[in-house]
């Protein structure tokens, strides 16, 4: 299952980055640069759902072991939650 999940997340990230989501930071955004692009964030959120982790706190503790080899720069829980809220309109 792990290789199938890896392949799915990789293909999804490439498709989202190339065809679906706008790339780059929006002008006027302040603060430090995000650790994940919007496409990577969507893939991490989809992995959370597919691996049945309901709690974001639990997911952010488990994510490095489960998908850390695909996304080596995972954000903390608060940044993950804030980035998900900001990316919701996209």
């Amino acid at each position: 299952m792990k290789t199938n999940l890896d392949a799915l997340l990789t293909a999804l990230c490439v498709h989202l980055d190339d065809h679906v989501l706008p790339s780059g930071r929006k002008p006027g955004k302040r603060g430090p640069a995000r650790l994940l692009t919007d496409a990577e964030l969507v893939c991490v959120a989809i992995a959370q759902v597919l691996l049945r982790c309901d709690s974001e706190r639990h997911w952010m503790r488990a994510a490095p072991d489960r998908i850390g080899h695909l996304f080596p720069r995972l954000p903390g829980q608060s940044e993950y939650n804030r980035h998900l809220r900001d990316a919701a309109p996209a």
Side-chain angles (χ1 to χ4, degrees):
M1 163 106 178
K2 189 170 186 175
T3 57
N4 292 338
L5 179 63
D6 291 356
L8 173 69
L9 292 177
T10 302
L12 180 63
C13 189
V14 169
H15 179 72
L16 289 173
D17 201 31
D18 290 346
H19 301 292
V20 179
L21 296 173
S23 61
R25 269 184 95 170
K26 294 179 176 67
K29 282 284 189 183
R30 296 174 48 179
R34 301 271 168 108
L35 292 176
L36 299 175
T37 64
D38 286 347
E40 292 171 333
L41 177 77
V42 169
C43 290
V44 171
I46 288 175
Q48 177 184 356
V49 171
L50 291 176
L51 294 172
R52 296 186 178 129
C53 289
D54 296 331
S55 166
E56 285 181 5
R57 179 178 294 156
H58 175 71
W59 172 241
M60 294 319 300
R61 281 193 312 254
D65 294 335
R66 295 284 187 85
I67 61 169
H69 60 285
L70 296 173
F71 305 100
R73 299 172 299 150
L74 289 170
Q77 179 187 351
S78 62
E79 183 182 347
Y80 175 69
N81 195 357
R82 187 169 46 249
H83 194 169
L84 276 176
R85 279 195 319 263
D86 290 345

